[in-house]
Amino acid sequence: MSFDLKSLELFVRVAALGAIGRAGMEFNLSSTNATHRIKALETDLQVKLLNRTTRAVSLTPDGEIFLDYAKRILNDVEDARTVLSQTTATVSGVVRVTASASLGRTHIVPFVPEFSRLYPDVKLDLNLTDNLVDIVEQGYDLAFRMGELAPSSLLAQKLDDNPVLLVASPDYLARKGYPEHPDDLRNHDCLTLGERHGWHLRGPDGAEHRIRSDFTARSNLGDALVEWAVGGMGIAHAALWHAGPAIEAGHLVPILPGYSVFFDMKMWAVRPPGRLMPLRVKVFLDFMQARFIATNQKQYGAILPELSQYLGK
């Protein structure tokens, strides 16, 4: 095959724009020259990549398949160039990152301007979504995740601990009473995270307690649970990076001393397997890990020692 990188870049832009002429303009190519490049690419591959009409072009099934490979080839070339650069002054390229909406809003978004000042030639493509993204298929460099990671070939790096506990407002507990044993939770209003229908706790003797309870309200957004708990709606399963400020202010109190939520939801960075970490990705990950730790320290660091009896420490 004799196609070059510019032809691959042109094809990727044609797929994104749906027009050969518009894509060609970005490469200072006439519509005719751009069309010739795409046809040469199809000849080399011996497949039809595009369906052409007078108004637009669209990918054929073979074109859809080849688009993924073209993106990977271009990313690998960019990665090789970046890895071979030895100084931060030459760090450049796009870092594609995904994270949950709430984690991204508190731990990533506020620090992007500082990162941009330090590395002005690095561009960030940040996707905040609560859906689990296939980072290999969709071409992401990094994903920031929490909790227990499912077995996979992805490379995982722990960023920080993420302690969780059960909390309620003093007003709610004055009305409903303080639970003294996990079984008492069945008689309380429960604010649950995601699809959970109860909680899994470990007692002071190491025994496990699985408590199933109907939920009063549930959400996939931890901030919502904390806000509802502060409003007196019930007992919430909360991460300290959400609940720490409310606990410190006295708006929430932890419950069930001696009993801890069975697992804590560590914060992770995961990345595709089998590849050297490009320098642009490494500097972004190192920068963000420091900000993750600093943000957690600010949110709950001052009260962490006094919460040890609720965290199994």
Side-chain angles (χ1 to χ4, degrees), residues 2-296:
S2 61
F3 58 80
D4 57 24
L5 292 178
K6 180 169 283 192
S7 294
L8 292 184
E9 293 172 343
L10 175 64
F11 169 69
V12 170
R13 289 304 293 156
V14 170
L17 297 174
I20 295 177
R22 287 174 57 198
M25 290 175 62
E26 296 184 6
F27 295 86
N28 295 318
L29 297 172
S30 68
S31 179
T32 299
N33 287 338
T35 300
H36 285 163
R37 277 186 172 270
I38 295 298
K39 287 181 177 179
L41 190 58
E42 291 177 319
T43 299
D44 279 341
L45 294 170
Q46 297 182 0
V47 296
K48 184 179 180 181
L49 298 174
L50 300 173
N51 294 311
R52 299 168 177 83
T53 69
T54 56
R55 293 188 176 183
V57 297
S58 61
L59 292 172
T60 65
D62 286 331
E64 293 278 2
I65 294 171
F66 184 66
L67 179 61
D68 288 336
Y69 284 98
K71 288 179 177 178
R72 291 179 197 174
I73 291 169
L74 294 172
N75 284 337
D76 285 344
V77 170
E78 184 181 340
D79 290 348
R81 288 171 175 161
T82 306
V83 169
L84 293 173
S85 300
Q86 297 299 312
T87 66
T88 57
T90 60
V91 178
S92 63
V94 178
V95 181
R96 300 196 68 224
V97 179
T98 183
S100 69
S102 58
L103 183 67
R105 184 67 190 87
T106 57
H107 286 65
I108 300 175
V109 170
F111 308 109
V112 170
E114 180 186 359
F115 178 81
S116 183
R117 287 192 294 270
L118 291 172
Y119 301 96
D121 294 325
V122 177
K123 299 177 182 179
L124 175 64
D125 182 353
L126 177 63
N127 175 33
L128 299 182
T129 175
D130 290 323
N131 296 324
L132 188 63
V133 174
D134 185 330
I135 65 172
V136 175
E137 180 178 337
Q138 298 190 30
Y140 284 97
D141 297 300
L142 281 175
F144 293 103
R145 293 178 177 168
M146 294 179 294
E148 296 177 308
L149 298 179
S152 75
S153 60
L154 299 178
L155 303 176
Q157 176 180 326
K158 176 187 166 184
L159 300 176
D160 200 9
D161 289 323
N162 181 27
V164 295
L165 71 177
L166 300 181
V167 295
S169 70
D171 172 68
Y172 171 85
L173 294 171
R175 287 185 287 111
K176 296 283 191 170
Y178 284 74
E180 297 180 358
H181 187 274
D183 289 340
D184 297 338
L185 295 172
R186 295 186 174 92
N187 300 317
H188 279 268
D189 300 322
C190 298
L191 309 174
T192 59
L193 183 67
E195 298 299 316
R196 291 186 178 90
H197 291 276
W199 295 301
H200 186 187
L201 305 178
R202 178 188 285 119
D205 57 357
E208 296 181 30
H209 302 265
R210 294 182 180 271
I211 308 301
R212 293 189 61 82
S213 176
D214 291 334
F215 62 88
T216 299
R218 70 183 180 192
S219 174
N220 64 339
L221 187 66
D223 283 332
L225 301 184
V226 169
E227 188 169 336
W228 293 342
V230 170
M233 282 183 63
I235 296 173
H237 171 284
L240 273 182
W241 62 277
H242 286 305
I247 294 173
E248 189 169 12
H251 302 313
L252 291 176
V253 295
I255 64 169
L256 292 174
Y259 294 90
S260 58
V261 176
F262 189 74
F263 67 94
D264 63 10
M265 302 191 301
K266 292 179 174 62
M267 294 181 171
W268 303 92
V270 297
R271 58 188 180 88
R275 296 170 62 183
L276 292 173
M277 190 187 307
L279 191 56
R280 70 179 191 279
V281 178
K282 183 180 186 306
V283 297
F284 183 79
L285 178 55
D286 290 347
F287 175 90
M288 283 300 167
Q289 179 167 20
R291 300 323 181 268
F292 268 59
I293 293 171
T295 300
N296 289 341

